[in-house]
Amino acid sequence: MKEPFIRVENLSYSYGDGGNEKPKHPAVSGISLEIGEGEYLAVIGRNGSGKSTFAKLLNLILDPTDGKIYISGKDVTSPDMTDEDVYAVRRDIGMVFQNPDNQLVATVVEDDVAFGPENLGLPREELRKRVDDALAAVGMTEFAGYEPHRLSGGQKQRVAIAGIIAMLPRCIIFDESTAMLDPIGRRDTVEMMEKLNREKGITVITITHYMDEAVRADRVIVMDNGRVLADGTPKQVYSDRELILSAGLELPQCATLVDRLRTAGVNIPDGDSTTPEKCAELIASALKGGELS
Ligand code: ADP
Ligand code: MG
């Protein structure tokens, strides 16, 4: 049987107790799941639910307290992992963070994008090609010679993404990468994630507070208290109202609207109400049935 791209088994992590005698409750607690190559996965959950810790475990920034992570069948949490093996995993599983200002290190955009791949010891031409391709992929070619501080937040985030793409990763984790952006920067960044997923086959894991972003993924994982509370399609996950509310999350507004219309006696057919487009279809079919006329 073919090994899944990423498999985590009973993964747990506790931060040090900082001198406090009481053991801290784990930030990530007994997570087991598989992620297939090319998946588009959203991770949601209230503040402190363990999302960032989970992400940092996946790209080996943190060492699990317990449990295993396998990438293409290889145990990357084994004590036999060399430094080179660890760097290879970090190259394969890139991370884009929340604050674009903290991720840009160079004074010129193209140097910033080259920063990661430069350390791979690539031949000059290969490096040039990677930087050019990455800038083109995020639509920032014309900004190659700019100073990053002259760019908007969304543009900076695109440069940060280009720096990751230039490493040719198999997976990119976006840890609330849209949280500090204006609506246009946010839309651009989400479109970028989707394009990388669809056109380059890169596995995308997006950690987000915005449910309109989460419902666009193929699969949604709900975390609470370091555990996975739910794992399914956006429709499956968001149709469990109790679960969403108990995890401290909100339902999509359009789904709430459809619910209220039903409560008010409007005969709206069952169906996916996770996006405005899908809600409009449901309401339209009720209208055509004469329900609202
Ligand atoms: P999320 O990303 O879902 O907001 P985190 O993974 O950042 O959650 O945090 C999970 C838990 O771990 C929280 O209780 C948080 O306070 C704790 N935590 C996170 N980072 C640290 C740290 N560096 N030191 C100690 N505790 C931490
Ligand atoms: Mg976080």
Side-chain angles (χ1 to χ4, degrees):
M1 208 185 81
K2 193 171 172 283
E3 280 288 343
F5 175 28
I6 298 171
R7 181 158 65 88
V8 311
E9 224 175 69
N10 198 27
L11 194 65
S12 299
Y13 186 83
S14 301
Y15 289 96
D17 64 7
N20 190 336
E21 270 148 51
K22 269 194 290 182
K24 279 193 72 168
H25 81 106
V28 161
S29 181
I31 293 185
S32 297
L33 52 82
E34 292 180 1
I35 300 169
E37 185 117 49
E39 269 197 60
Y40 177 20
L41 168 72
V43 179
I44 60 174
R46 71 176 110 211
N47 273 337
S49 57
K51 306 178 299 295
S52 294
T53 305
F54 179 58
K56 287 175 187 157
L57 287 164
L58 285 184
N59 106 332
L60 308 186
I61 295 176
L62 297 175
D63 256 344
T65 314
D66 216 344
K68 292 278 179 200
I69 302 171
Y70 299 89
I71 297 185
S72 302
K74 180 182 162 74
D75 177 2
V76 298
T77 42
S78 150
D80 299 336
M81 288 280 288
T82 64
D83 287 350
E84 283 71 35
D85 292 337
V86 171
Y87 296 140
V89 171
R90 294 205 185 130
R91 211 158 59 223
D92 261 359
I93 302 185
M95 265 182 92
V96 179
F97 297 94
Q98 190 175 87
N99 188 344
D101 287 322
N102 294 346
Q103 296 174 83
L104 306 186
V105 288
T107 49
V108 179
V109 163
E110 62 181 354
D111 293 348
D112 199 276
V113 177
F115 184 79
E118 247 165 10
N119 293 320
L120 301 178
L122 301 169
R124 210 67 226 151
E125 320 77 78
E126 166 73 10
L127 180 64
R128 181 77 254 166
K129 181 168 168 14
R130 288 223 195 167
V131 171
D132 291 346
D133 288 353
L135 283 171
V138 300
M140 289 294 286
T141 302
E142 61 187 295
F143 297 95
Y146 271 56
E147 295 170 31
H149 72 87
R150 298 192 179 280
L151 303 177
S152 71
Q155 288 171 327
K156 285 179 193 166
Q157 207 58 307
R158 284 202 256 167
V159 174
I161 295 168
I164 303 289
I165 294 174
M167 306 291 278
L168 307 182
R170 294 167 75 190
C171 172
I172 304 180
I173 305 176
F174 294 87
D175 190 354
E176 304 207 26
S177 305
T178 61
M180 296 180 74
L181 305 180
D182 63 20
I184 292 170
R186 185 153 91 84
R187 190 199 60 205
D188 282 357
T189 305
V190 172
E191 282 174 2
M192 193 59 54
M193 294 177 198
E194 296 184 350
K195 190 166 156 235
L196 292 171
N197 179 254
R198 271 191 254 105
E199 294 174 15
K200 292 190 187 281
I202 295 175
T203 304
V204 168
I205 302 177
T206 177
I207 298 173
T208 182
H209 261 83
Y210 296 106
M211 71 197 125
D212 59 328
E213 291 178 18
V215 296
R216 296 171 72 133
D218 300 324
R219 175 180 172 196
V220 178
I221 285 177
V222 183
M223 286 189 65
D224 198 20
N225 225 340
R227 297 178 184 277
V228 171
L229 270 197
D231 180 349
T233 63
K235 184 183 169 204
Q236 286 165 341
V237 166
Y238 280 106
S239 62
D240 192 341
R241 298 170 45 107
E242 296 298 308
L243 175 128
I244 290 294
L245 297 176
S246 78
L249 299 167
E250 286 181 308
L251 292 161
Q253 276 188 352
C254 56
T256 306
L257 171 69
V258 166
D259 274 348
R260 295 229 171 133
L261 287 170
R262 284 196 184 110
T263 309
V266 182
N267 186 17
I268 297 180
D270 280 339
D272 188 349
S273 59
T274 51
T275 66
E277 293 76 17
K278 285 166 183 162
C279 286
E281 276 171 33
L282 291 177
I283 295 170
S285 71
L287 278 169
K288 284 176 191 148
E291 281 304 322
L292 285 178
S293 52

